[in-house]
Amino acid sequence: MMGRLKSDQGQLFYEFDLSDAIPEDHLVRKIDTALDLSWLRSDLAPHYSSTGRPSIDPELMIRMLIVGYVFAIRSERLICREVQANLAYRWFCKLGIEDAVPDHSAFSRARNERFREADVFRRVFERVVEACIAGGLVGGEGFAVDASLIAADANKQRSIAGQDWRRDRDPARSSRAVKEYLTTLDDTAWGAASDVIPKFVSPSDPAAQWTGAHKGPAFFAYSDNYLIDVKFGVILDVEASRAIRQAEVGAAKTMIERTEERFGLKPERLVGDTAFGAAPMLNWLVEEKGIAPHVSVSDKSKRDDGTFSRSDFRYDPTADVYHCPGGKQLGTSGTVHEGKTLLYRASKLDCEVCPLKPQCCPKEPSRKIPRDIHEHARDVARSFAGTEAFEQSRRQRKKIEMRFAHLKRILRLGRLRLRGPRGAQDEFVLAAIAQNLRRLASLVARPPPAHAPCIA
């Protein structure tokens, strides 16, 4: 006989255990096992008044934000609606079936005030990384670094020319995003990264960089910088920066130093693309940090006109001279040009009678070889190229590219909602928390113990 739905839902009492409604293999169960926020209330206590009306529980707000980023809900208004209707999200947020869900406006105030004052998102991220380390997901031997462009919440039609933007404006009369930008002018990942005036500036978010790096239509963007451990792709650090190479290199240094300071982890090797193959960065890795750079060296010394390239000249570090293919020496005066280059010159008398002059310097009286002051570090990096370990690092670098693909395609963070350097940093850190939690949950999390039934 065909069944029929009950039209009367006015039952007075229900015996209902919210946990029973959540499948044992649901992602929220695994994430809940991996996430520990027991420290949050005590650490945030100094930022709340001891009198007045009780505020919304900060753990509830953090859990709701994590739900949003884990399940790609790109609006705080929509997060509130989903938590209101979705039993699994309610259970994860520790809400009962009749508990009220906070209004979406509460998130903006908490994020801009107490959460930023206490740097809560960064501390939650670090606790998740510690859980990954404790779970054996971090090897500590090899790290990879890279950056990806994320579109900013800025409109080209409302932008102004770069030369018309003035930094000497009154912060008190500026928006929050502009105030944040003005405080980062001396930061190596922001204002101090380059003194080049951008073509366009967005008045609503001046820290966003006008860029055409994707070889398509230009747009305003931030760089999302990741430092990962290559064992399982766990994100060890995350940093927002301007969308230019100098800023990304500065962010990489910050992340490496912060990871060593915070977790006591320093890799034996660092994997990266040619963006991190500039001489100053390589010198920092080799001479200051003692890290093997598995990085393709940025080298423009190869000639394509048929004459000898620098690689055809042999450098003697003992005598600090180059030996040319004709057997003569090129020495240097020791003068550093443009703050980074030494010039090694051959004798004009040697070059005039040399039979190889048409292949060496046909248009010059003598040959000169430029050598970067950090060339030793570049040579160290070149020595790894072609080795089995270097090829393995090249394969492992795909893991960081997969993290960015997951960020944009699964978590749907292709465009920012928040403005300013702090807004971009908050979004990037929350997304990294979500990615690490998903990774941790899929590899080591165990089902939680059963909860006692309750009567509602």
Side-chain angles (χ1 to χ4, degrees):
M1 182 174 68
M2 185 180 296
R4 181 184 296 274
L5 286 172
K6 293 181 179 180
S7 59
D8 182 13
Q9 296 181 325
Q11 188 173 340
L12 185 59
F13 295 102
Y14 292 89
E15 183 176 346
F16 179 71
D17 182 359
L18 188 57
S19 180
D20 291 340
I22 316 303
E24 290 296 326
D25 60 348
H26 198 289
L27 183 57
V28 294
R29 286 192 179 275
K30 300 176 181 179
I31 291 177
D32 185 62
T33 303
L35 182 65
D36 177 21
L37 295 176
S38 60
W39 54 273
L40 184 62
R41 290 183 59 85
S42 60
D43 283 19
L44 274 177
H47 299 275
Y48 287 81
S49 173
S50 58
T51 61
R53 187 177 61 181
S55 68
I56 299 171
D57 191 332
E59 181 176 349
L60 169 60
M61 303 184 76
I62 294 296
R63 284 180 174 270
M64 289 180 68
L65 287 172
I66 289 175
V67 164
Y69 280 84
V70 168
F71 295 99
I73 305 173
R74 295 289 298 135
S75 161
E76 287 162 2
R77 188 187 298 267
L78 187 56
I79 290 173
C80 294
R81 292 181 59 185
E82 289 295 319
V83 173
Q84 176 73 31
N86 190 303
L87 294 181
Y89 298 165
R90 273 186 172 270
W91 176 86
F92 178 78
C93 294
K94 301 186 182 300
L95 290 173
I97 195 68
E98 296 180 343
D99 290 337
V101 176
D103 186 78
H104 67 90
S105 62
F107 290 90
S108 296
R109 183 172 181 180
R111 179 178 55 245
N112 294 327
E113 295 177 3
R114 297 184 180 95
F115 288 175
R116 286 186 180 172
E117 290 171 4
D119 204 12
V120 166
F121 298 146
R122 168 67 60 179
R123 294 165 74 179
V124 173
F125 171 77
E126 291 177 348
R127 296 277 182 149
V128 174
V129 173
E130 288 176 343
C132 292
I133 295 172
L137 304 187
V138 176
E141 181 269 335
F143 292 175
V145 64
D146 205 352
S148 184
L149 295 182
I150 306 294
D153 184 23
N155 193 328
K156 165 62 172 67
Q157 279 67 36
R158 297 182 180 180
S159 64
I160 62 175
Q163 63 268 21
D164 295 336
W165 168 258
R166 299 188 61 82
R167 296 181 175 183
D168 56 344
R169 59 185 60 219
D170 183 8
R173 302 177 61 183
S174 303
S175 66
R176 179 181 291 110
V178 174
K179 290 178 184 177
E180 292 176 3
Y181 170 71
L182 294 175
T183 63
T184 62
L185 295 179
D186 296 327
D187 195 323
T188 55
W190 300 100
S194 172
D195 56 2
V196 176
I197 298 175
K199 186 175 182 180
F200 296 104
V201 171
S202 170
S204 60
D205 193 357
Q209 182 76 28
W210 179 254
T211 177
H214 285 169
K215 298 182 179 179
F219 60 103
F220 287 106
Y222 284 90
S223 277
D224 187 4
N225 300 270
Y226 275 0
L227 178 70
I228 73 163
D229 183 89
V230 298
K231 183 179 180 180
F232 285 107
V234 170
I235 303 168
L236 297 176
D237 207 341
V238 53
E239 186 75 11
S241 74
R242 288 178 65 188
I244 57 175
R245 180 171 296 187
Q246 301 95 311
E248 294 168 1
V249 170
K253 292 181 178 181
T254 298
M255 292 189 295
I256 291 170
E257 291 182 330
R258 188 163 53 201
T259 299
E260 182 178 2
E261 178 183 354
R262 181 65 182 83
F263 306 112
L265 295 175
K266 189 178 79 169
E268 297 177 10
R269 57 191 170 96
L270 180 72
V271 186
D273 58 19
T274 53
F276 305 95
M281 178 64 178
L282 294 175
N283 183 73
W284 183 80
L285 289 171
V286 173
E287 302 296 340
E288 296 186 33
K289 305 302 294 183
I291 299 173
H294 285 202
V295 178
S296 298
V297 179
S298 178
D299 192 350
K300 299 180 181 179
S301 65
K302 182 69 176 179
R303 292 190 173 187
D304 55 6
D305 60 355
T307 60
F308 294 137
S309 299
R310 186 173 60 190
S311 58
D312 296 312
F313 292 72
R314 180 177 60 85
Y315 179 68
D316 180 2
T318 304
D320 190 24
V321 296
Y322 275 95
H323 295 275
C324 73
K328 302 299 182 180
Q329 293 185 356
L330 290 78
T332 179
S333 64
T335 301
V336 178
H337 299 267
E338 299 180 352
K340 62 179 182 179
T341 306
L342 293 169
L343 289 179
Y344 290 75
R345 302 177 184 272
S347 168
K348 181 178 178 181
L349 297 177
D350 290 337
C351 290
E352 284 179 345
V353 297
C354 181
L356 299 177
K357 190 176 188 302
Q359 297 175 260
C360 185
C361 51
K363 299 180 181 181
E364 299 291 336
S366 63
R367 182 62 186 263
K368 58 183 178 183
I369 298 291
R371 179 179 175 86
D372 196 284
I373 57 175
H374 302 312
E375 195 67 26
H376 170 69
R378 288 157 57 92
D379 289 338
V380 171
R382 291 189 188 99
S383 68
F384 296 113
T387 64
E388 182 178 349
F390 187 84
E391 294 303 315
Q392 180 185 7
S393 294
R394 288 185 61 186
R395 293 189 295 269
Q396 291 174 329
R397 194 168 71 86
K398 295 179 180 178
K399 293 183 179 181
I400 197 168
E401 296 170 355
M402 292 170 63
R403 294 287 85 199
F404 287 126
H406 180 270
L407 176 74
K408 296 179 179 180
R409 297 179 183 178
I410 306 302
L411 302 190
R412 300 180 185 175
L413 187 59
R415 182 183 178 90
L416 294 171
R417 292 187 304 106
L418 307 180
R419 293 175 176 172
R422 293 298 300 273
Q425 183 74 7
D426 287 348
E427 288 219 60
F428 293 160
V429 172
L430 281 166
I433 291 171
Q435 289 184 288
N436 277 347
L437 281 174
R438 291 177 68 114
R439 174 67 66 181
L440 183 61
S442 66
L443 294 177
V444 301
R446 297 182 295 276
H451 295 281
C454 60
I455 297 178

mmCIF file of all heavy atoms in Angstrom, residues 134-169:
data_model
loop_
_atom_site.group_PDB
_atom_site.id
_atom_site.type_symbol
_atom_site.label_atom_id
_atom_site.label_comp_id
_atom_site.label_asym_id
_atom_site.label_seq_id
_atom_site.Cartn_x
_atom_site.Cartn_y
_atom_site.Cartn_z
ATOM 1 N N ALA A 134 52.372 16.763 15.003
ATOM 2 C CA ALA A 134 52.176 15.668 15.961
ATOM 3 C C ALA A 134 51.633 14.425 15.279
ATOM 4 O O ALA A 134 51.906 13.302 15.712
ATOM 5 C CB ALA A 134 51.223 16.121 17.065
ATOM 6 N N GLY A 135 50.876 14.603 14.197
ATOM 7 C CA GLY A 135 50.323 13.469 13.469
ATOM 8 C C GLY A 135 51.281 12.836 12.485
ATOM 9 O O GLY A 135 50.897 11.905 11.772
ATOM 10 N N GLY A 136 52.522 13.348 12.414
ATOM 11 C CA GLY A 136 53.518 12.753 11.523
ATOM 12 C C GLY A 136 53.374 13.153 10.073
ATOM 13 O O GLY A 136 53.913 12.475 9.189
ATOM 14 N N LEU A 137 52.676 14.265 9.808
ATOM 15 C CA LEU A 137 52.466 14.689 8.426
ATOM 16 C C LEU A 137 53.533 15.652 7.927
ATOM 17 O O LEU A 137 53.493 16.055 6.768
ATOM 18 C CB LEU A 137 51.093 15.354 8.292
ATOM 19 C CG LEU A 137 49.878 14.539 8.725
ATOM 20 C CD1 LEU A 137 48.600 15.273 8.379
ATOM 21 C CD2 LEU A 137 49.892 13.164 8.088
ATOM 22 N N VAL A 138 54.465 16.030 8.784
ATOM 23 C CA VAL A 138 55.516 16.985 8.409
ATOM 24 C C VAL A 138 56.867 16.302 8.542
ATOM 25 O O VAL A 138 57.235 15.847 9.627
ATOM 26 C CB VAL A 138 55.457 18.248 9.293
ATOM 27 C CG1 VAL A 138 56.611 19.192 8.960
ATOM 28 C CG2 VAL A 138 54.117 18.959 9.113
ATOM 29 N N GLY A 139 57.599 16.229 7.434
ATOM 30 C CA GLY A 139 58.912 15.596 7.450
ATOM 31 C C GLY A 139 60.007 16.526 7.929
ATOM 32 O O GLY A 139 60.950 16.119 8.592
ATOM 33 N N GLY A 140 59.926 17.822 7.548
ATOM 34 C CA GLY A 140 60.913 18.805 7.965
ATOM 35 C C GLY A 140 62.180 18.813 7.149
ATOM 36 O O GLY A 140 63.046 19.662 7.359
ATOM 37 N N GLU A 141 62.300 17.926 6.165
ATOM 38 C CA GLU A 141 63.539 17.841 5.382
ATOM 39 C C GLU A 141 63.497 18.737 4.151
ATOM 40 O O GLU A 141 64.493 19.365 3.785
ATOM 41 C CB GLU A 141 63.771 16.387 4.970
ATOM 42 C CG GLU A 141 65.051 16.159 4.163
ATOM 43 C CD GLU A 141 64.824 16.277 2.661
ATOM 44 O OE1 GLU A 141 63.683 16.070 2.209
ATOM 45 O OE2 GLU A 141 65.793 16.617 1.942
ATOM 46 N N GLY A 142 62.341 18.809 3.507
ATOM 47 C CA GLY A 142 62.220 19.601 2.291
ATOM 48 C C GLY A 142 60.990 20.490 2.334
ATOM 49 O O GLY A 142 59.897 20.031 2.673
ATOM 50 N N PHE A 143 61.186 21.770 2.004
ATOM 51 C CA PHE A 143 60.078 22.716 1.916
ATOM 52 C C PHE A 143 59.962 23.194 0.478
ATOM 53 O O PHE A 143 60.941 23.185 -0.279
ATOM 54 C CB PHE A 143 60.294 23.942 2.811
ATOM 55 C CG PHE A 143 60.241 23.669 4.293
ATOM 56 C CD1 PHE A 143 60.528 24.686 5.200
ATOM 57 C CD2 PHE A 143 59.905 22.423 4.794
ATOM 58 C CE1 PHE A 143 60.478 24.459 6.566
ATOM 59 C CE2 PHE A 143 59.858 22.178 6.160
ATOM 60 C CZ PHE A 143 60.145 23.205 7.047
ATOM 61 N N ALA A 144 58.772 23.632 0.102
ATOM 62 C CA ALA A 144 58.548 24.261 -1.201
ATOM 63 C C ALA A 144 57.856 25.595 -0.975
ATOM 64 O O ALA A 144 57.027 25.731 -0.067
ATOM 65 C CB ALA A 144 57.705 23.365 -2.104
ATOM 66 N N VAL A 145 58.188 26.565 -1.806
ATOM 67 C CA VAL A 145 57.626 27.903 -1.674
ATOM 68 C C VAL A 145 57.134 28.362 -3.038
ATOM 69 O O VAL A 145 57.737 28.067 -4.074
ATOM 70 C CB VAL A 145 58.678 28.893 -1.110
ATOM 71 C CG1 VAL A 145 59.848 29.057 -2.068
ATOM 72 C CG2 VAL A 145 58.046 30.240 -0.789
ATOM 73 N N ASP A 146 55.998 29.049 -3.027
ATOM 74 C CA ASP A 146 55.449 29.581 -4.274
ATOM 75 C C ASP A 146 54.370 30.596 -3.926
ATOM 76 O O ASP A 146 53.986 30.737 -2.760
ATOM 77 C CB ASP A 146 54.872 28.465 -5.145
ATOM 78 C CG ASP A 146 54.859 28.837 -6.629
ATOM 79 O OD1 ASP A 146 55.158 30.007 -6.944
ATOM 80 O OD2 ASP A 146 54.544 27.974 -7.471
ATOM 81 N N ALA A 147 53.893 31.301 -4.939
ATOM 82 C CA ALA A 147 52.845 32.300 -4.754
ATOM 83 C C ALA A 147 51.843 32.178 -5.886
ATOM 84 O O ALA A 147 52.172 31.735 -6.994
ATOM 85 C CB ALA A 147 53.443 33.707 -4.717
ATOM 86 N N SER A 148 50.612 32.564 -5.602
ATOM 87 C CA SER A 148 49.554 32.536 -6.605
ATOM 88 C C SER A 148 48.761 33.833 -6.519
ATOM 89 O O SER A 148 48.525 34.359 -5.423
ATOM 90 C CB SER A 148 48.634 31.334 -6.381
ATOM 91 O OG SER A 148 47.656 31.244 -7.412
ATOM 92 N N LEU A 149 48.340 34.331 -7.666
ATOM 93 C CA LEU A 149 47.583 35.577 -7.700
ATOM 94 C C LEU A 149 46.112 35.322 -7.386
ATOM 95 O O LEU A 149 45.498 34.409 -7.939
ATOM 96 C CB LEU A 149 47.689 36.233 -9.079
ATOM 97 C CG LEU A 149 49.078 36.707 -9.518
ATOM 98 C CD1 LEU A 149 48.987 37.363 -10.887
ATOM 99 C CD2 LEU A 149 49.674 37.671 -8.513
ATOM 100 N N ILE A 150 45.563 36.147 -6.494
ATOM 101 C CA ILE A 150 44.147 36.104 -6.150
ATOM 102 C C ILE A 150 43.563 37.486 -6.447
ATOM 103 O O ILE A 150 44.089 38.500 -5.969
ATOM 104 C CB ILE A 150 43.922 35.747 -4.670
ATOM 105 C CG1 ILE A 150 44.637 34.432 -4.317
ATOM 106 C CG2 ILE A 150 42.434 35.663 -4.367
ATOM 107 C CD1 ILE A 150 44.082 33.211 -5.018
ATOM 108 N N ALA A 151 42.510 37.520 -7.234
ATOM 109 C CA ALA A 151 41.917 38.803 -7.617
ATOM 110 C C ALA A 151 41.402 39.553 -6.398
ATOM 111 O O ALA A 151 40.815 38.967 -5.486
ATOM 112 C CB ALA A 151 40.780 38.571 -8.603
ATOM 113 N N ALA A 152 41.644 40.850 -6.366
ATOM 114 C CA ALA A 152 41.192 41.704 -5.265
ATOM 115 C C ALA A 152 39.781 42.209 -5.541
ATOM 116 O O ALA A 152 39.292 42.184 -6.675
ATOM 117 C CB ALA A 152 42.151 42.881 -5.085
ATOM 118 N N ASP A 153 39.136 42.680 -4.477
ATOM 119 C CA ASP A 153 37.819 43.277 -4.616
ATOM 120 C C ASP A 153 37.992 44.739 -4.995
ATOM 121 O O ASP A 153 37.782 45.659 -4.196
ATOM 122 C CB ASP A 153 37.047 43.146 -3.295
ATOM 123 C CG ASP A 153 35.627 43.674 -3.401
ATOM 124 O OD1 ASP A 153 35.103 43.723 -4.530
ATOM 125 O OD2 ASP A 153 35.055 44.057 -2.358
ATOM 126 N N ALA A 154 38.427 44.957 -6.241
ATOM 127 C CA ALA A 154 38.715 46.302 -6.743
ATOM 128 C C ALA A 154 38.290 46.380 -8.201
ATOM 129 O O ALA A 154 38.469 45.424 -8.960
ATOM 130 C CB ALA A 154 40.204 46.620 -6.600
ATOM 131 N N ASN A 155 37.772 47.521 -8.586
ATOM 132 C CA ASN A 155 37.193 47.705 -9.913
ATOM 133 C C ASN A 155 38.088 48.589 -10.760
ATOM 134 O O ASN A 155 38.464 49.689 -10.350
ATOM 135 C CB ASN A 155 35.805 48.344 -9.770
ATOM 136 C CG ASN A 155 35.014 48.264 -11.065
ATOM 137 O OD1 ASN A 155 35.574 48.298 -12.150
ATOM 138 N ND2 ASN A 155 33.695 48.170 -10.942
ATOM 139 N N LYS A 156 38.427 48.120 -11.953
ATOM 140 C CA LYS A 156 39.266 48.910 -12.858
ATOM 141 C C LYS A 156 38.586 50.222 -13.245
ATOM 142 O O LYS A 156 39.243 51.274 -13.363
ATOM 143 C CB LYS A 156 39.555 48.080 -14.123
ATOM 144 C CG LYS A 156 40.109 48.864 -15.301
ATOM 145 C CD LYS A 156 41.462 49.501 -14.983
ATOM 146 C CE LYS A 156 42.080 50.114 -16.229
ATOM 147 N NZ LYS A 156 41.326 51.290 -16.750
ATOM 148 N N GLN A 157 37.270 50.190 -13.439
ATOM 149 C CA GLN A 157 36.569 51.391 -13.880
ATOM 150 C C GLN A 157 36.616 52.505 -12.840
ATOM 151 O O GLN A 157 36.415 53.674 -13.172
ATOM 152 C CB GLN A 157 35.103 51.052 -14.205
ATOM 153 C CG GLN A 157 34.897 50.431 -15.579
ATOM 154 C CD GLN A 157 35.519 49.055 -15.687
ATOM 155 O OE1 GLN A 157 35.505 48.291 -14.729
ATOM 156 N NE2 GLN A 157 36.070 48.724 -16.861
ATOM 157 N N ARG A 158 36.861 52.152 -11.577
ATOM 158 C CA ARG A 158 36.912 53.164 -10.524
ATOM 159 C C ARG A 158 38.335 53.443 -10.059
ATOM 160 O O ARG A 158 38.541 54.058 -9.015
ATOM 161 C CB ARG A 158 36.059 52.709 -9.336
ATOM 162 C CG ARG A 158 34.588 52.568 -9.688
ATOM 163 C CD ARG A 158 33.757 52.162 -8.487
ATOM 164 N NE ARG A 158 32.347 52.032 -8.831
ATOM 165 C CZ ARG A 158 31.386 51.684 -7.986
ATOM 166 N NH1 ARG A 158 31.689 51.437 -6.721
ATOM 167 N NH2 ARG A 158 30.128 51.583 -8.390
ATOM 168 N N SER A 159 39.308 52.988 -10.825
ATOM 169 C CA SER A 159 40.712 53.202 -10.453
ATOM 170 C C SER A 159 41.186 54.569 -10.949
ATOM 171 O O SER A 159 40.508 55.234 -11.731
ATOM 172 C CB SER A 159 41.584 52.096 -11.038
ATOM 173 O OG SER A 159 41.573 52.140 -12.462
ATOM 174 N N ILE A 160 42.376 54.952 -10.477
ATOM 175 C CA ILE A 160 43.000 56.193 -10.919
ATOM 176 C C ILE A 160 44.414 55.882 -11.380
ATOM 177 O O ILE A 160 44.979 54.825 -11.063
ATOM 178 C CB ILE A 160 43.020 57.247 -9.799
ATOM 179 C CG1 ILE A 160 43.843 56.738 -8.607
ATOM 180 C CG2 ILE A 160 41.615 57.618 -9.373
ATOM 181 C CD1 ILE A 160 44.004 57.769 -7.494
ATOM 182 N N ALA A 161 45.007 56.793 -12.123
ATOM 183 C CA ALA A 161 46.382 56.608 -12.580
ATOM 184 C C ALA A 161 47.335 56.583 -11.385
ATOM 185 O O ALA A 161 47.130 57.289 -10.392
ATOM 186 C CB ALA A 161 46.771 57.725 -13.543
ATOM 187 N N GLY A 162 48.364 55.752 -11.489
ATOM 188 C CA GLY A 162 49.288 55.579 -10.372
ATOM 189 C C GLY A 162 49.940 56.863 -9.918
ATOM 190 O O GLY A 162 50.122 57.090 -8.712
ATOM 191 N N GLN A 163 50.307 57.740 -10.856
ATOM 192 C CA GLN A 163 50.985 58.984 -10.480
ATOM 193 C C GLN A 163 50.049 59.968 -9.786
ATOM 194 O O GLN A 163 50.501 60.932 -9.152
ATOM 195 C CB GLN A 163 51.618 59.651 -11.709
ATOM 196 C CG GLN A 163 50.626 60.083 -12.771
ATOM 197 C CD GLN A 163 50.421 59.012 -13.810
ATOM 198 O OE1 GLN A 163 50.687 57.832 -13.568
ATOM 199 N NE2 GLN A 163 49.970 59.417 -15.001
ATOM 200 N N ASP A 164 48.745 59.737 -9.871
ATOM 201 C CA ASP A 164 47.789 60.630 -9.213
ATOM 202 C C ASP A 164 47.480 60.198 -7.780
ATOM 203 O O ASP A 164 46.807 60.924 -7.045
ATOM 204 C CB ASP A 164 46.477 60.673 -10.010
ATOM 205 C CG ASP A 164 46.673 61.285 -11.383
ATOM 206 O OD1 ASP A 164 47.629 62.062 -11.548
ATOM 207 O OD2 ASP A 164 45.882 60.973 -12.297
ATOM 208 N N TRP A 165 47.941 59.014 -7.396
ATOM 209 C CA TRP A 165 47.688 58.539 -6.036
ATOM 210 C C TRP A 165 48.740 59.114 -5.100
ATOM 211 O O TRP A 165 49.937 59.025 -5.355
ATOM 212 C CB TRP A 165 47.719 57.015 -5.993
ATOM 213 C CG TRP A 165 47.754 56.452 -4.598
ATOM 214 C CD1 TRP A 165 48.841 55.963 -3.941
ATOM 215 C CD2 TRP A 165 46.666 56.342 -3.688
ATOM 216 N NE1 TRP A 165 48.499 55.549 -2.685
ATOM 217 C CE2 TRP A 165 47.165 55.774 -2.495
ATOM 218 C CE3 TRP A 165 45.318 56.681 -3.752
ATOM 219 C CZ2 TRP A 165 46.356 55.518 -1.394
ATOM 220 C CZ3 TRP A 165 44.515 56.432 -2.659
ATOM 221 C CH2 TRP A 165 45.038 55.852 -1.498
ATOM 222 N N ARG A 166 48.302 59.713 -3.993
ATOM 223 C CA ARG A 166 49.210 60.338 -3.046
ATOM 224 C C ARG A 166 49.192 59.568 -1.734
ATOM 225 O O ARG A 166 48.121 59.303 -1.158
ATOM 226 C CB ARG A 166 48.829 61.800 -2.809
ATOM 227 C CG ARG A 166 48.893 62.651 -4.066
ATOM 228 C CD ARG A 166 48.696 64.115 -3.722
ATOM 229 N NE ARG A 166 49.719 64.620 -2.822
ATOM 230 C CZ ARG A 166 50.926 65.031 -3.208
ATOM 231 N NH1 ARG A 166 51.255 65.005 -4.485
ATOM 232 N NH2 ARG A 166 51.796 65.474 -2.320
ATOM 233 N N ARG A 167 50.393 59.227 -1.266
ATOM 234 C CA ARG A 167 50.518 58.491 -0.012
ATOM 235 C C ARG A 167 50.406 59.397 1.214
ATOM 236 O O ARG A 167 50.116 58.919 2.306
ATOM 237 C CB ARG A 167 51.864 57.753 0.029
ATOM 238 C CG ARG A 167 52.004 56.677 -1.044
ATOM 239 C CD ARG A 167 53.347 55.986 -0.911
ATOM 240 N NE ARG A 167 53.475 54.868 -1.834
ATOM 241 C CZ ARG A 167 54.533 54.067 -1.879
ATOM 242 N NH1 ARG A 167 55.561 54.276 -1.047
ATOM 243 N NH2 ARG A 167 54.575 53.057 -2.733
ATOM 244 N N ASP A 168 50.682 60.686 1.049
ATOM 245 C CA ASP A 168 50.708 61.593 2.195
ATOM 246 C C ASP A 168 49.310 62.113 2.519
ATOM 247 O O ASP A 168 49.077 63.317 2.611
ATOM 248 C CB ASP A 168 51.662 62.754 1.932
ATOM 249 C CG ASP A 168 51.315 63.505 0.652
ATOM 250 O OD1 ASP A 168 50.547 62.952 -0.168
ATOM 251 O OD2 ASP A 168 51.799 64.638 0.478
ATOM 252 N N ARG A 169 48.368 61.191 2.691
ATOM 253 C CA ARG A 169 47.008 61.574 3.023
ATOM 254 C C ARG A 169 46.748 61.341 4.501
ATOM 255 O O ARG A 169 47.500 60.613 5.162
ATOM 256 C CB ARG A 169 46.000 60.803 2.167
ATOM 257 C CG ARG A 169 46.093 59.296 2.314
ATOM 258 C CD ARG A 169 45.147 58.603 1.334
ATOM 259 N NE ARG A 169 45.500 58.947 -0.025
ATOM 260 C CZ ARG A 169 44.597 59.176 -0.976
ATOM 261 N NH1 ARG A 169 43.315 59.108 -0.688
ATOM 262 N NH2 ARG A 169 44.974 59.462 -2.204
#
